[in-house]
Amino acid sequence: MQAGQFISSTPALEGTVFENTVIFIAEYNDKGALGFVTNQPFSRGLNELEEFRHGKAFPLYLGGPVDREHLYFVHRRADLIAGGAEVDGKTFFGGDFKTAVALINQNLLTERDVRIFIGYCGWDKGELDAEIAEGSWNLLEAATLF
């Protein structure tokens, strides 16, 4: 397991919040793992949130059950968005969110450049590896985010 990898839930997770999910792992280190559900669009767009009501319509995704009070983003435009943490050489986690929103509103970033999530998925050290070993998750080889 490493950052930049995708996992998909198995039938062992049926009936849970993770049923039929595909997750992009944005961080994987000695503290644990952090990822985002990539296949669950949120019911509202960015411009439907009060703070961004004057902006462009842009899709949001339900990133996971943890901290649904905040937005998180993953992108592939480190040339335009400062401060992101490199995930896998071509994808970056976080950075200057105000700049990202401004670029979206100027049509300089599209859905092929950035994904915005409400909430995230998190695992303590060894927890995700144990869930993979017990058969709750499959590692995916051919998934893409953008």
Side-chain angles (χ1 to χ4, degrees):
M1 172 60 61
Q2 62 187 13
Q5 213 160 0
F6 287 83
I7 58 174
S8 65
S9 62
T10 68
L13 293 175
E14 283 182 17
T16 74
V17 68
F18 294 113
E19 183 175 0
N20 296 319
T21 58
V22 174
I23 296 177
F24 174 73
I25 302 299
E27 287 184 354
Y28 183 84
N29 54 42
D30 60 354
K31 294 179 183 176
L34 180 142
F36 300 100
V37 176
T38 63
N39 63 331
Q40 292 184 356
F42 190 63
S43 60
R44 295 168 37 190
L46 183 63
N47 65 312
E48 294 176 79
L49 303 179
E50 183 63 26
E51 183 179 348
F52 306 101
R53 70 185 178 280
H54 298 296
K56 180 181 175 190
F58 197 83
L60 298 174
Y61 290 83
L62 188 55
V66 181
D67 194 15
R68 289 187 179 175
E69 299 298 316
H70 293 95
L71 298 176
Y72 300 87
F73 72 110
V74 175
H75 63 92
R76 62 180 188 167
R77 295 303 307 264
D79 59 320
L80 298 175
I81 303 169
E86 185 177 329
V87 175
D88 62 5
K90 61 183 184 233
T91 308
F92 298 82
F93 170 39
D96 185 342
F97 189 65
K98 287 184 180 186
T99 297
V101 171
L103 293 168
I104 288 168
N105 288 332
Q106 296 167 29
N107 294 316
L108 297 174
L109 285 182
T110 70
E111 293 175 54
R112 288 174 280 169
D113 300 309
V114 64
R115 272 256 181 129
I116 303 174
F117 302 95
I118 294 179
Y120 68 91
C121 304
W123 295 266
D124 290 331
K125 181 179 180 177
E127 190 176 15
L128 179 56
D129 297 297
E131 290 180 14
I132 291 169
E134 73 186 15
S136 294
W137 301 99
N138 289 321
L139 301 177
L140 298 179
E141 297 298 322
T144 59
L145 191 57
F146 303 106

